[in-house]
Amino acid sequence: MFFDHLVLGATGEFLNIGDILATLVIFILLMLLLKKFAWGPLMGIMQQREDLIKSEIETAENSRLESHKLLEEQRSLLKDARTQAQEIVENAKKQGEVSREEIITTARAESGRMKDAAVQEIANERDKAISAVREEVVALSLLAATKVLEKEISEEDNRQLINETIAKAGEVQ
Amino acid sequence: MDHGAPMLEVFGIWFNLSNVMMLLVAALIVFLIAFIATRNLQLKPTGMQNFMEWIMDFVKGIINSNMDWRDGGRFHVLGITLIMFIFVSNMLGLPFAIVVNGDLWWKSPTADPTVAMTLAAMVLILSHYYGVKLKGLKGYSAGYIKPMPFLFPLKVIEEFANTLTLGLRLYGNIYAGEILLTLLAGLASASIFGFAAGILPMMLWQGFSIFIGAIQAFIFVMLTMVYLSHKVADDH
């Protein structure tokens, strides 16, 4: 018949056990060889890549946490430093204030003292000058009186007299 | 087109030498492709390695769509080998057929019912083997009376029907493709007019056969995983 070859198993009156064996052996052999030479290494490399990616992700996560921690640390350090700087400036300001007050007080005291000393000095000098003048005046008066009056008077009496006169004159002045 | 087959008897066992040769050719091609593609493996894949990894991921996707990877991971190698072997086998018969002394030598090995049925039976036997191995004889037997005990006869029939349909679907598709290619080739080689009339449908049918071959390889692996998961997975 024309369609005889389309019938299943039409190639012979028998079962091709040889073909079955050949198919099985060839396929299983192929599978084992490929597993050893192709799929095994390929799966290995894919697994390796998977592991690598996993570990890379882990590392990235870790370093992210690390950097976050460091950032926090730096931030707190910066904050501390800022507070400290503020404190230092504050302290310096206070110190400066105190020094200023001190210096002013000292200067004021010094100048007061100097003024007092000067006043004292001036007073002393004036007294000294007055007594010197007074002395001079007595001597001059005595000389003048002696000359003017030409009178014999003991020097002792004269001096007393003149002193009285001058004292009176000073009172009048 | 009514070709015979080069039969050989060894110790009372009959071999179709054409099948044996074509199986070897297909296996050799698959092995060479896979072997060459996986030389010089790198973490950053290039060229052929990309292609092989794509196939692996593709089969992995097929398995994952049927069962848990914990159960299905062991079938990864089987799946990749099957899909490549069947695809290459399907392609082999497309470019030409070689007939020597009335015997058909060069064809798709999967265009032979014995080969296709052997692959299908192997898959089904594997599914029973792993069913017993992973779920125990008790769990495996319980699968036949689920969900209802009276479905038992149907379950038994299903096993044979699965084997038959799995193998014959592959065989039928590829064999039909080759028959039509042979007819078209006969038309094209008959006369100059036949050539003019036959060349366009020939090209169309070859293109379509490539598509069919790829689809059948995919379907075969897909169904393999479905049957395996029926036996292996706890629930689905």
Side-chain angles (χ1 to χ4, degrees):
Chain A
M1 271 292 289
F2 186 71
F3 289 111
D4 264 358
H5 65 283
L6 293 178
V7 177
L8 188 57
T11 41
E13 316 264 308
F14 34 74
L15 186 62
N16 290 342
I17 294 181
D19 288 4
I20 295 173
L21 289 178
T23 310
L24 280 178
V25 168
I26 288 170
F27 182 78
I28 289 169
L29 207 63
L30 174 70
M31 194 161 76
L32 292 178
L33 282 174
L34 283 182
K35 188 178 180 183
K36 179 152 171 42
F37 289 110
W39 308 149
L42 193 60
M43 280 171 177
I45 205 99
M46 286 170 93
Q47 184 66 41
Q48 209 173 316
R49 181 183 311 140
E50 209 168 286
D51 291 348
L52 180 76
I53 289 170
K54 215 176 277 174
S55 77
E56 285 296 311
I57 288 174
E58 215 157 277
T59 313
E61 181 71 17
N62 278 348
S63 50
R64 196 181 66 84
L65 286 177
E66 181 93 356
S67 63
H68 191 71
K69 214 177 74 186
L70 279 176
L71 183 67
E72 282 300 311
E73 218 174 275
Q74 291 302 316
R75 204 170 275 167
S76 79
L77 272 179
L78 189 65
K79 209 167 138 192
D80 275 7
R82 199 167 281 164
T83 329
Q84 239 161 24
Q86 195 123 12
E87 219 163 89
I88 287 168
V89 167
E90 203 79 17
N91 273 353
K93 227 179 247 176
K94 219 174 275 171
Q95 192 76 27
E97 197 77 22
V98 169
S99 317
R100 197 168 67 106
E101 286 296 319
E102 208 167 289
I103 288 166
I104 288 174
T105 319
T106 316
R108 201 166 276 162
E110 182 78 7
S111 70
R113 208 169 48 75
M114 276 166 83
K115 203 180 84 183
D116 285 355
V119 167
Q120 192 74 33
E121 188 102 348
I122 289 165
N124 279 352
E125 288 298 320
R126 202 187 57 185
D127 283 359
K128 224 183 266 174
I130 285 174
S131 56
V133 166
R134 206 170 265 171
E135 245 154 274
E136 199 69 23
V137 167
V138 169
L140 278 178
S141 304
L142 195 57
L143 189 65
T146 315
K147 280 195 175 161
V148 171
L149 291 179
E150 296 175 25
K151 219 163 114 185
E152 279 293 311
I153 304 170
S154 76
E155 206 160 310
E156 210 77 12
D157 290 346
N158 261 357
R159 186 172 296 269
Q160 200 180 340
L161 184 67
I162 284 165
N163 268 352
E164 276 170 14
T165 313
I166 284 170
K168 271 182 198 153
E171 274 163 30
V172 171
Q173 279 173 359
Chain B
M1 56 180 255
D2 200 2
H3 308 299
M7 301 303 291
L8 177 74
E9 187 184 8
V10 181
F11 303 124
I13 299 173
W14 283 94
F15 288 86
N16 182 339
L17 288 181
S18 148
N19 280 345
V20 176
M21 184 188 82
M22 292 315 296
L23 283 167
L24 282 173
V25 168
L28 193 70
I29 290 175
V30 170
F31 183 79
L32 283 180
I33 291 176
F35 188 76
I36 291 168
T38 53
R39 290 313 90 189
N40 195 11
L41 289 172
Q42 278 156 359
L43 278 180
K44 270 192 207 163
T46 51
M48 285 294 278
Q49 193 188 342
N50 264 327
F51 175 65
M52 292 318 295
E53 288 193 6
W54 174 74
I55 292 180
M56 289 195 103
D57 281 337
F58 183 69
V59 174
K60 195 172 185 175
I62 295 177
I63 295 174
N64 272 328
S65 68
N66 284 303
M67 55 190 134
D68 195 59
W69 186 248
R70 202 160 30 83
D71 293 327
R74 73 191 81 223
F75 305 128
H76 200 186
V77 169
L78 172 74
I80 308 164
T81 314
L82 259 183
I83 202 168
M84 284 195 69
F85 185 68
I86 293 177
F87 178 74
V88 169
S89 298
N90 293 348
M91 293 304 111
L92 281 181
L94 292 186
F96 47 80
I98 297 178
V99 180
V100 179
N101 294 333
D103 285 346
L104 179 62
W105 277 92
W106 188 280
K107 56 170 187 146
S108 287
T110 41
D112 185 275
T114 318
V115 173
M117 284 304 299
T118 305
L119 289 175
M122 181 188 76
V123 164
L124 265 292
I125 289 168
L126 264 184
S127 79
H128 290 283
Y129 169 74
Y130 277 106
V132 175
K133 188 182 173 189
L134 293 184
K135 294 173 80 178
L137 201 55
K138 209 173 150 198
Y140 167 77
S141 312
Y144 284 97
I145 52 169
K146 275 179 189 168
M148 292 293 191
F150 71 85
L151 289 176
F152 175 71
L154 283 180
K155 285 279 190 175
V156 174
I157 293 170
E158 186 195 3
E159 296 305 325
F160 290 100
N162 281 347
T163 318
L164 269 176
T165 53
L166 185 61
L168 292 185
R169 177 184 305 107
L170 179 62
Y171 158 67
N173 274 283
I174 306 308
Y175 188 57
E178 295 214 341
I179 287 287
L180 194 51
L181 276 181
T182 315
L183 288 171
L184 286 169
L187 171 68
S189 57
S191 67
I192 187 77
F193 300 109
F195 184 81
I199 183 136
L200 189 64
M202 184 90 179
M203 280 162 63
L204 283 176
W205 188 249
Q206 273 183 328
F208 189 61
S209 287
I210 291 173
F211 175 68
I212 294 278
I215 285 288
Q216 286 307 318
F218 167 68
I219 287 176
F220 195 95
V221 173
M222 183 61 146
L223 287 174
T224 296
M225 295 310 160
V226 168
Y227 297 152
L228 282 169
S229 78
H230 277 178
K231 295 290 181 214
V232 167
D234 294 322
D235 44 42
H236 44 90

